Amino acid sequence: MEYEKMLTKGALKSIMNNEDVKDPMMQVLGVRKITAAGANERYRLLISDGQNLNSFAMLATQLNSMVCNGLIDEFSILKIKRHIISNLTDRSKGSKQVMILLDLAVMVPGTTVGSKIGDPKPIIDNSGQVVENGTSASVDSTPQSNSLPKPRSVQSSVIDNGLQRDIDVSNIHPINSLSPYQNKWTIRARVVNKAPIRTWNNQRGEGKLFSMDLLDESGEIRATAFNSECDKFFDMVEVNKVYFITRGTIKTANKKFSNLNNDYELTLSSETQIFPCHDFDDSQMPALKFNFVPLSQVKDVDVDGIVDVIGVCQTAGELTNLMSKTTRKELKKRDVTIVDQSLSSVTITLWDTQAEDFDGSLQPVIAIKGSRIREFMGSKSLSLLGSTVMQINPDIEEAHRLRGWYDSLPSNVEFNSISTRSDAGANSQFLTIKGAQLAQLGSGDKADYYSMYSHLIFVKSESALYKACPKPDCQKKVIDRNDGTYRCEKCNDETENFKYRLMLSAQLSDSTGNQWVTMFQETAENLLGTTSAELGRLMEESKEEYSDVFQRQMFKLFEIRARAKMETYNNETRLKVSLVNIKPINYKAASTKLIADIKRLSGISTSVM
């Protein structure tokens, strides 16, 4: 039969006996989905070479889509380009060897083949017994990979915890073959990024950690060290150096904290050992991998998405200081605008050390791996995370090409800004709620002011009042000590009195949308037509009358003066809109203004009607 000649007969027995077989052709006789605790779903295959069977072939997770898309199905013929043999320990059944398929190609779809080829049998060991997983009894338990040439046994003399020892690193696993099913493994990888040590202190205790990104020819993975391992390895590991790393816990990656292209991540343990790779030409090891996205496509990426970008620094803003209102920690921030050959520009926010050290005076090329998409009222920008890698003028082809392109540009070229800033004229305009959003008001370095006509549709009356320090020059909220006294942390003083102050959270609405706003003391009193002291008395004596004060203003149309400004809390930037003034609409003046606007927009002369 034509298809029978395609299969590499005898390949399975040779592979399971650690013999190299180049690009063997196998047939899939069955596909089964399995899910292990704490791991992503995986697929187990029953494969045949026309002579023998192996029911313990595991598909690497990066190939799962081939099953989901129907490329790998029953009776399909595969060319296995790369695989490894790994031990799988089962407490009840002992150790088994699993063939993990890392890279393959579908040569003939199963629907075309239509049936099983030949009469394959389980592998028989030397004693004549059937081996269920296709593994010969004479097979060495040491995992091998056909993706790498058989390396010589390297005896690396290293220092680990003050003890000199010889380490056999002859059996190297590619990074993309690591999975929770493996117990013993060694990888040889380059450290392409090392994050600073972070500490935490919460109800469950305190601790510290650092993470590093590892890269080899097959892929990348993040490794994290906690507490004692953090102390042990942080100073030892250097960025861009190549290391042997063995032992540790492999688990499903938390994509909230990792943007690497790997379903798993590595946690260093007390058994982990890391050795400098002295006996290896590290020029063979790839450097940092980028997957650049043109800046013009940034606007199409979902908020909080992770992207790699490269561009020329067009402008760099001044270093600004911010205060976190929750931690009271001072933050440093700098906005940098980059451009690329798509004739688009985007703003990147740098924080703390990166913001301080950045010099944009020579308009360097900036390559960034792992920046997060932020959105300010429809405007996209990029923010750097703790795990983000930023390189200035990197020695890569894309950077050299970009440099030559930018230096040859005419001076009058215009770029389409993905991070649009508000125009200065908007401060004097009457806008709708949607119009203010489209104008990106508040997204600049300074606050923007604008006017609008809106209905008041909701007020959070239950939290409108707070007890403040009675001193005239202090507005700080006091702490009720429940003994008839109140403490002001700002003044470091205790008193038997307090004063009520207003801080209203309200929702405005017009024909184009809704907007949450904040009103402080004077503006709120002007809206409600009463003082905060009187409102406090009503709250204590008559809840019904207190509620009526707010209800009387509901669904009325007001002329409003608003202030919009981006404010940062814990490195999270959000738009805050507060009202400077709110008053009942003057319908005659508003109608006159609308008539003038209509004439101006339609080109009609401004003669008196």
Side-chain angles (χ1 to χ4, degrees), residues 11 69 109 130 137 147 161 204 206 221 260 288 294 298 338 352 356 401 405 421 431 437 556 562 571 573:
N69 296 335
V130 174
S147 61
N161 291 336
R204 293 180 292 179
E206 58 183 25
I221 193 170
L260 300 188
L288 186 64
V298 168
I338 64 172
D352 298 331
E356 288 183 286
R401 190 186 309 120
W405 164 80
R421 299 295 184 185
L431 300 172
Q437 294 173 351
K556 290 184 178 180
N571 288 353
T573 304

Side-chain angles (χ1 to χ4, degrees), residues 3 41 182 204 362 488:
Y3 296 130
E41 64 180 26
Q182 295 166 282
R204 293 180 292 179
L362 298 180
C488 177

Side-chain angles (χ1 to χ4, degrees), residues 543-582:
K543 294 289 186 181
E544 184 176 349
E545 291 185 45
Y546 172 80
S547 180
D548 286 344
V549 173
F550 297 93
Q551 291 300 320
R552 284 196 293 267
Q553 307 303 325
M554 290 297 101
F555 308 108
K556 290 184 178 180
L557 184 62
F558 292 93
E559 180 180 334
I560 292 165
R561 184 69 173 166
R563 176 186 185 272
K565 181 72 174 71
M566 287 293 177
E567 296 191 359
T568 302
Y569 305 91
N570 290 335
N571 288 353
E572 290 287 337
T573 304
R574 297 181 180 179
L575 180 70
K576 183 175 181 180
V577 179
S578 55
L579 301 192
V580 178
N581 190 21
I582 181 169

Side-chain angles (χ1 to χ4, degrees), residues 358-400:
F358 183 79
D359 180 8
S361 58
L362 298 180
Q363 295 188 305
V365 175
I366 305 172
I368 298 177
K369 181 176 180 61
S371 58
R372 174 161 288 174
I373 302 289
R374 299 298 188 193
E375 184 175 15
F376 301 157
M377 298 172 59
S379 169
K380 297 288 182 67
S381 64
L382 301 175
S383 184
L384 272 61
L385 309 173
S387 58
T388 301
V389 179
M390 182 176 75
Q391 294 185 351
I392 305 298
N393 291 324
D395 187 15
I396 58 177
E397 180 182 350
E398 293 89 344
H400 298 310

Side-chain angles (χ1 to χ4, degrees), residues 188 212 299 406 419 491 504 546:
R188 179 172 55 204
M212 56 184 173
K299 65 179 184 298
Y406 186 79
S419 310
C491 300
L504 291 184
Y546 172 80

